[in-house]
Amino acid sequence: MNTHRWDTSISTFQWFIFLLANSVALPIVIGNVFQLSIEEVSTLMQRTFFVVGISSFIQGWLGHRYPIADGPAGSWVSVFVILADVAIQQGQSMRETLQILEGGLLISGLLLFILGITGLIHRLLFLFTPLVTGSFLLILAIQLSGVFLEGMMGIQGESARPDYEIAMVSFLVFFLVIFLSIKGKGWFKSYAVLIGILFGWLLYTFLGKHSASLPSTSALVKLPEIFVWGVPQLNAGIIITSTLFTFILISNTIAAVTAVNQVVSESGVIQKQTLNRGSWIGGISHFISSLFSTIGVVPLPVSAGFIQLTKQKRILPFLIASLALSSIAIIPAIVHFLAMLPGPVASAALLASFVQMIGIAFQSILREKLDQRRLTILGITFLIGIGLMFLPPTVYQEMPSLLQYVFSNGLLVGTMIVILLEQLWKE
């Protein structure tokens, strides 16, 4: 019994660290993009912890009911970054842009809720073939790999130079997690991510590479504020963009559930109700994200890589960890401490989990024979979807705002291409 409790406690702590690591990096990215102050980034992190914990818990309890960490969506981050660029080019207020993004979260949340509660999400399932799911996972991993590599090298801003000491620590963590997950035995294999993060944090501190100090507060408990960016706003561009983007969110949910199902379940069969519940709860998560002014929160497909690394398949430790994250979010002193988790170390541990996710993406693609038709679809999808990520922002400046939102997002375009080609080009 004691051994079982000890295992549950350690598993809970490791899930907590994984949830935390997924929640730390992207608010910092958004803070830099929207030129937020240190205090604003700190409170954004607090709200993100709270929303991630609540969303992960209700998904695991009432939604898809798998141990899938929710977290700030890398796909939503791309929309935030694109709208920030548009605002700078057109001389718009950053605050107003953030209010428009709150409105976009509400639109996507409403569509997800309707699709899930009516059961229509399952009728769209035919669009998300193994080729579509695998392509989505690969493009997502490639898109976020750049974000995480920048974080691992200590790069902040376009003109910043890498910090080679930070890069050394980050890559040590990355390869340590990979090594322990493959060669480790027993406890070392199961807790590879946790060991890697703790090792990296200690080494980071030893080298004197401390994060910028965050503002302290005398309050023992502080509840997250609502609509910090202001009342949500809507315009035609964000309505159309959010409607199209809902297909990305559906792809994300299906990819996350499918990937974790492959790792956790022996049957490999996903029940109709699982995706319906996951969709309408995902809609509620988006409402909560808008209410608390955070990046949109979604089930993270990389959870499958984490489970494969650690063999943590039980739901109970995950639920406890989710509640713990949302609970500590109201205690400023703890948030202050956790926010000191070095971004480069968190990025390295997450990138290690993406190695497994890429493997799952290839497994999905190879589930059916790669004939000439499927190879051609893959080639077109990757060349255009990934190619768009390398174009300079100036390419899109002359386009209307709506087209800037769409065409500068390689993940959105790539996913739309593979879905359309799969349906229009029949065998």
Side-chain angles (χ1 to χ4, degrees), residues 1 3 28 83 88 101 125 174 194 205 224 303 321 346 391 421:
M1 180 64 73
T3 303
I28 296 172
L83 261 66
I88 292 170
L101 284 161
L125 196 57
F174 175 75
L194 176 59
T205 304
S303 301
L391 295 180
L421 289 178

Side-chain angles (χ1 to χ4, degrees), residues 81-205:
V81 171
I82 290 161
L83 261 66
D85 287 340
V86 171
I88 292 170
Q89 292 162 18
Q90 299 180 356
Q92 296 173 346
S93 160
M94 286 294 192
R95 184 70 53 178
E96 186 178 338
T97 302
L98 287 168
Q99 292 169 359
I100 290 171
L101 284 161
E102 285 179 342
L105 289 170
L106 289 177
I107 294 294
S108 292
L110 179 63
L111 290 173
L112 283 174
F113 185 83
I114 291 171
L115 288 170
I117 210 74
T118 59
L120 291 175
I121 189 77
H122 200 261
R123 296 190 179 183
L124 295 175
L125 196 57
F126 74 95
L127 294 173
F128 301 97
T129 62
L131 191 67
V132 171
T133 301
S135 299
F136 171 83
L137 288 172
L138 268 179
I139 297 175
L140 177 64
I142 291 167
Q143 184 182 61
L144 290 181
S145 65
V147 175
F148 292 136
L149 279 171
E150 282 188 2
M152 288 169 65
M153 300 184 74
I155 297 173
Q156 294 184 347
E158 292 182 7
S159 60
R161 300 179 65 181
D163 184 317
Y164 294 107
E165 281 190 340
I166 286 178
M168 179 191 70
V169 173
S170 300
F171 280 98
L172 276 174
V173 171
F174 175 75
F175 286 113
L176 176 63
V177 173
I178 297 294
F179 176 78
L180 290 178
S181 66
I182 296 172
K183 297 292 186 179
K185 303 293 184 183
W187 196 90
F188 287 98
K189 186 181 183 75
S190 297
Y191 303 110
V193 173
L194 176 59
I195 294 168
I197 286 178
L198 293 178
F199 168 79
W201 197 342
L202 284 171
L203 191 53
Y204 199 89
T205 304

Side-chain angles (χ1 to χ4, degrees), residues 360-409:
I360 292 167
F362 278 116
Q363 287 173 355
S364 180
I365 291 171
L366 294 172
R367 204 177 302 167
E368 297 172 2
K369 183 182 176 182
L370 279 180
D371 54 18
Q372 189 61 48
R373 168 186 166 274
R374 299 181 85 236
L375 284 170
T376 304
I377 291 173
L378 275 178
I380 295 170
T381 298
F382 292 149
L383 285 173
I384 297 178
I386 296 171
L388 286 172
M389 298 178 191
F390 295 96
L391 295 180
T394 51
V395 170
Y396 309 103
Q397 283 182 358
E398 302 301 320
M399 294 183 179
S401 297
L402 173 61
L403 295 182
Q404 288 188 42
Y405 300 165
V406 174
F407 286 106
S408 56
N409 191 323

Side-chain angles (χ1 to χ4, degrees), residues 238-274:
I238 197 64
I239 291 172
I240 296 171
T241 301
S242 298
T243 302
L244 286 173
F245 199 72
T246 302
F247 279 93
I248 291 292
L249 299 174
I250 294 169
S251 299
N252 190 99
T253 300
I254 291 173
V257 172
T258 302
V260 171
N261 178 268
Q262 288 178 21
V263 177
V264 172
S265 173
E266 295 181 1
S267 67
V269 177
I270 300 173
Q271 299 298 321
K272 173 182 177 180
Q273 297 86 347
T274 300

Side-chain angles (χ1 to χ4, degrees), residues 174-374:
F174 175 75
F175 286 113
L176 176 63
V177 173
I178 297 294
F179 176 78
L180 290 178
S181 66
I182 296 172
K183 297 292 186 179
K185 303 293 184 183
W187 196 90
F188 287 98
K189 186 181 183 75
S190 297
Y191 303 110
V193 173
L194 176 59
I195 294 168
I197 286 178
L198 293 178
F199 168 79
W201 197 342
L202 284 171
L203 191 53
Y204 199 89
T205 304
F206 177 75
L207 292 173
K209 300 289 183 179
H210 297 290
S211 304
S213 59
L214 297 170
S216 58
T217 175
S218 58
L220 292 177
V221 174
K222 183 182 177 184
L223 293 174
E225 298 178 32
I226 62 172
F227 294 132
V228 173
W229 297 331
V231 178
Q233 295 185 21
L234 292 173
N235 59 30
I238 197 64
I239 291 172
I240 296 171
T241 301
S242 298
T243 302
L244 286 173
F245 199 72
T246 302
F247 279 93
I248 291 292
L249 299 174
I250 294 169
S251 299
N252 190 99
T253 300
I254 291 173
V257 172
T258 302
V260 171
N261 178 268
Q262 288 178 21
V263 177
V264 172
S265 173
E266 295 181 1
S267 67
V269 177
I270 300 173
Q271 299 298 321
K272 173 182 177 180
Q273 297 86 347
T274 300
L275 291 176
N276 289 336
R277 290 193 308 263
S279 179
W280 70 261
I281 291 291
I284 291 175
S285 295
H286 272 68
F287 294 149
I288 297 172
S289 297
S290 178
L291 180 68
F292 288 100
S293 301
T294 67
I295 311 161
V297 169
V298 297
L300 299 176
V302 72
S303 301
F306 174 79
I307 294 170
Q308 207 162 50
L309 276 175
T310 63
K311 310 304 178 190
Q312 304 295 338
K313 300 180 181 181
R314 292 187 297 142
I315 192 73
L316 180 60
F318 170 77
L319 293 177
I320 297 171
S322 301
L323 284 179
L325 185 64
S326 58
S327 298
I328 63 95
I330 66 174
I331 305 174
I334 298 180
V335 173
H336 177 97
F337 173 74
L338 292 176
M340 291 170 64
L341 170 64
V345 174
S347 296
L350 292 177
L351 193 66
S353 296
F354 271 86
V355 172
Q356 300 291 329
M357 194 175 88
I358 286 178
I360 292 167
F362 278 116
Q363 287 173 355
S364 180
I365 291 171
L366 294 172
R367 204 177 302 167
E368 297 172 2
K369 183 182 176 182
L370 279 180
D371 54 18
Q372 189 61 48
R373 168 186 166 274
R374 299 181 85 236

